[in-house]
Amino acid sequence: MRIDILAVIPELLDSPLNNSIIKRAQESKTAEIYVHNLRDYSDDEKYRRIDDYSYSAGAGMVLKVEPVFKAITHLKSQRTYDEIIYTSPDGEQFNQKSANQLSTLKNILILCGHYKGIDQRIRDHLITREISIGDYVLTGGELAAAVMTDSIVRLLPGGMGDETSALTDSFQDGLLAPPVYTRPAEFNGWKVPDVLLSGNDAAIEEWKMDQAFARTKKLRPDLLNDE
Ligand code: ADE
């Protein structure tokens, strides 16, 4: 899978994309991730400006239509994108289902929003999907793009060391994940539940399911009502 990210501050993506599983996924060519600087597409050679005042007074600075159009057109001339995503607090809410679905695509382009947003004409004519990572406002879309990319890439076949572990994530079956323990079996008088030391696989599976349900009911009852 290939992910192109158009950013105003590409440096914000350096660390999230160049460590751990996401780094390995790129090294093994499971994922190709390219971050592009929107300023490289500015017509303003001297100051590389890409924003301008809003026509609505007092609304703050807006990303200009020309550099974004130029950048997207350039990238689209090189390959076909399955989705051109704009990160914005007013987009559809990103969740595990969105990550699963996006991880099946071949090429996606993520445009990071900034300032008070982008010129609406870009959203109307070039963007195919608008995604928010939660009901709060970030300074820009780079961190949202990093969150989405991380959750998508770890799902790719070969993306994770333990191929089955994505299936046991929270949310993957509509439930939160059960608690996990490792050695020692007792620390400070705090004991690992007996069933996990029993060697009885069926009992352990049942315990995990019960725990997942109990946790979900207590912490996220809304998930049990979701279709
Ligand atoms: N840009 C600013 N806030 C955002 C959010 N919550 N999700 C996605 N992009 C954003």
Side-chain angles (χ1 to χ4, degrees):
M1 177 183 194
R2 174 174 172 132
I3 302 177
D4 287 277
I5 303 174
L6 265 173
V8 178
I9 309 180
E11 296 81 4
L12 284 173
L13 288 148
D14 283 349
S15 173
L17 299 183
N18 291 305
N19 284 288
S20 180
I21 289 170
I22 312 305
K23 179 183 179 189
R24 284 202 297 278
Q26 291 176 87
E27 286 168 352
S28 67
K29 301 274 184 281
T30 300
E32 287 176 75
I33 307 172
Y34 296 92
V35 179
H36 311 270
N37 190 340
L38 253 181
R39 289 186 198 280
D40 291 344
Y41 296 89
S42 170
D43 288 332
D44 168 15
E45 281 180 18
K46 192 158 177 211
Y47 298 107
R48 295 173 29 103
R49 273 192 68 170
I50 48 173
D51 63 326
D52 206 341
Y53 294 99
S54 165
Y55 275 120
S56 0
M61 302 303 279
V62 175
L63 268 185
K64 286 166 69 65
V65 69
E66 301 96 320
V68 180
F69 178 81
K70 207 164 150 186
I72 294 182
T73 307
H74 172 69
L75 289 166
K76 274 174 79 174
S77 72
Q78 298 178 338
R79 69 199 58 78
T80 304
Y81 288 98
D82 301 302
E83 294 280 13
I84 301 181
I85 297 165
Y86 174 58
T87 59
S88 173
D90 55 12
E92 63 173 280
Q93 173 102 34
F94 188 71
N95 58 23
Q96 190 62 42
K97 207 167 150 194
S98 342
N100 291 344
Q101 191 263 327
L102 290 170
S103 75
T104 66
L105 304 179
K106 193 161 178 279
N107 296 314
I108 64 172
L109 172 56
I110 304 176
L111 168 65
C112 304
H114 242 273
Y115 311 108
K116 272 290 171 189
I118 49 171
D119 191 298
Q120 182 61 33
R121 289 167 288 187
I122 294 289
R123 297 174 74 161
D124 291 343
H125 299 287
L126 295 176
I127 299 298
T128 62
R129 198 158 167 185
E130 302 186 330
I131 298 183
S132 161
I133 61 160
D135 285 343
Y136 40 81
V137 180
L138 303 165
T139 52
E142 284 84 358
L143 297 179
V147 166
M148 291 194 293
T149 303
D150 185 287
S151 65
I152 293 166
V153 170
R154 67 188 285 283
L155 295 172
L156 298 175
M160 271 193 285
D162 175 357
E163 298 263 332
T164 61
S165 64
L167 297 175
T168 59
D169 287 341
S170 278
F171 307 112
Q172 207 55 275
D173 54 4
L175 296 174
L176 299 182
V180 290
Y181 298 87
T182 185
R183 290 181 293 185
E186 182 170 348
F187 171 77
N188 212 15
W190 305 333
K191 288 187 176 159
V192 170
D194 286 339
V195 62
L196 295 180
L197 309 175
S198 69
N200 181 340
D201 290 342
I204 292 174
E205 275 315 305
E206 196 182 329
W207 176 87
K208 280 165 64 181
M209 210 24 131
D210 289 349
Q211 290 287 319
F213 263 110
R215 235 183 203 191
T216 309
K217 199 165 166 206
K218 180 163 179 240
L219 301 172
R220 291 293 306 276
D222 56 301
L223 294 177
L224 297 174
N225 304 326
D226 279 1
E227 282 310 305

